[in-house]
Amino acid sequence: MLSNIFAISALLCSTGVEPSNIVITSDTYDWAAGYVEGYTIHESCNATQTSMLSRALGELGVLATHAKEHLLYHGNQSEIVLKYFGGGPTAEAVGWYERIVRANKSGVLFRCDDPDLNCETQDSWGGHWRGENATLETVICDLSFIERYPLEAMCGFGFTVASSPSNFYFASDLMHRVLHVPAISQGVVEHFAEDYSEVLALSDESPEHALRDSDTLQYFALEAYAYDVAVPGEGCPGEPPVETTSTVEAASAAETTSEAETTSEAETTSEAETTSEAETTSEAVSCHTHDDGEVHCV
Ligand SMILES: *[C@@H]1O[C@H](CO)[C@@H](O)[C@H](O)[C@H]1NC(C)=O
Ligand SMILES: *[C@@H]1O[C@H](CO)[C@@H](O)[C@H](O)[C@H]1NC(C)=O
Ligand SMILES: *[C@@H]1O[C@H](CO)[C@@H](O)[C@H](O)[C@H]1NC(C)=O
Ligand SMILES: *[C@@H]1O[C@H](CO)[C@@H](O)[C@H](O)[C@H]1NC(C)=O
Ligand SMILES: [Zn+2]
């Protein structure tokens, strides 16, 4: 910016503008000074990791932008919107998707070294938010580069929204990770639901939490992209995996669980904001390890 200011001053001088006019042309004020639109990839990522991560971050932008546009085009009324957000006003969710893409990312960093030694010591972690060690930073472990699918593989390789982990795609995995960064989520987006069935229960029982639930924002984005873009008019919503118990029993168990966990998470929001966590890459098991030692697996 300094060089711009000098360039403008030099131009004004050379065209004979009076010094008093220079004061009036205070358009040297740049309201956007310091704004950084993109996510920064740390030098610890080698050429391969940098190119794969920048591609996935681009896909995150595509995924979030489509989710936002589906909400803007359909209000609160499409089947997919009703399914995930319960039919109430959706402006808050529009805002989170927009922040993922357009919020000031100054200092928001992805790194490929392992400063907290979690990639090395925690078997099967795909990465983690650095939490209180560095709230703007996310570590991506080697496994993410090997296991996450590109967005163009949407609805392929057996993926369905209901039955597959929400981190099946690198883009949706990154959506979860950036929503842990307070510079994006403003400390408001949280885990109120832990999986697909809890996300559906949240939409019914507590739509105001669905609008700021990390999993809801991921599942809605995946389903809208699958249905609108990848396989138009069809998508791949799928069915939740069937447990050994009967469907009715499983459903009521899921409802009870989600209600209990939703309540307890809501009560400890301020604590949750300072916890850190990481997710496994296993498709069958997804765990959150909070830094009080508590591990949530689904
Ligand atoms: C963007 O964030 C940085 C770091 O917090 C801050 O210094 C800068 O003023 C912000 N830019 C704008 C336009 O607010
Ligand atoms: C970058 O690092 C990854 C993981 O260690 C490795 O598999 C890959 O070969 C490296 N790429 C280059 C160009 O060195
Ligand atoms: C959903 O949108 C319709 C029209 O856009 C509006 O009349 C209705 O109040 C909305 N419902 C809720 C619960 O916000
Ligand atoms: C933060 O750093 C400490 C000390 O190195 C480490 O024990 C802890 O696991 C780190 N936190 C995260 C979220 O990695
Ligand atoms: Zn999380």
Side-chain angles (χ1 to χ4, degrees), residues 123-294:
D123 215 24
S124 82
W125 279 22
H128 67 97
W129 175 51
R130 295 196 66 203
E132 59 200 12
N133 291 344
T135 57
L136 294 171
E137 298 189 8
T138 301
V139 173
I140 302 295
C141 307
D142 281 353
L143 273 174
S144 281
F145 296 102
I146 297 164
E147 295 200 354
R148 304 288 185 247
Y149 284 82
L151 202 53
E152 68 206 16
M154 179 60 72
C155 294
F157 304 98
F159 175 85
T160 72
V161 178
S163 70
S164 303
S166 60
N167 63 9
F168 192 93
Y169 296 97
F170 212 156
S172 51
D173 180 53
L174 291 175
M175 181 177 288
H176 172 204
R177 297 192 188 287
V178 302
L179 287 172
H180 275 297
V181 177
I184 307 300
S185 63
Q186 302 189 311
V188 165
V189 177
E190 271 297 341
H191 288 294
F192 300 102
E194 295 286 344
D195 63 12
Y196 179 79
S197 56
E198 288 188 23
V199 159
L200 297 191
L202 198 64
S203 169
D204 271 353
E205 293 159 15
S206 188
E208 69 278 17
H209 288 104
L211 291 164
R212 49 177 64 184
D213 177 67
S214 178
D215 287 73
T216 301
L217 293 167
Q218 290 165 73
Y219 279 113
F220 172 78
L222 287 166
E223 189 154 338
Y225 188 85
Y227 190 87
D228 295 342
V229 180
V231 189
E234 209 175 303
C236 46
E239 298 290 335
V242 179
E243 305 293 335
T244 47
T245 48
S246 81
T247 316
V248 173
E249 279 166 13
S252 79
E255 266 177 37
T256 311
T257 308
S258 88
E259 206 173 324
E261 287 183 9
T262 301
T263 307
S264 89
E265 284 237 25
E267 281 169 5
T268 58
T269 299
S270 66
E271 191 191 332
E273 280 171 9
T274 59
T275 57
S276 62
E277 68 178 44
E279 278 65 44
T280 69
T281 58
S282 157
E283 295 194 5
V285 180
S286 174
C287 300
H288 288 70
T289 306
H290 294 261
D291 62 4
D292 59 3
E294 194 184 353

Side-chain angles (χ1 to χ4, degrees), residues 23-42:
V23 175
I24 291 165
T25 60
S26 59
D27 56 356
T28 52
Y29 166 66
D30 180 0
W31 71 274
Y35 171 77
V36 175
E37 180 170 12
Y39 295 95
T40 300
I41 299 175
H42 188 245

Side-chain angles (χ1 to χ4, degrees), residues 75-77 86-90:
N76 59 15
Q77 291 302 317
T90 54

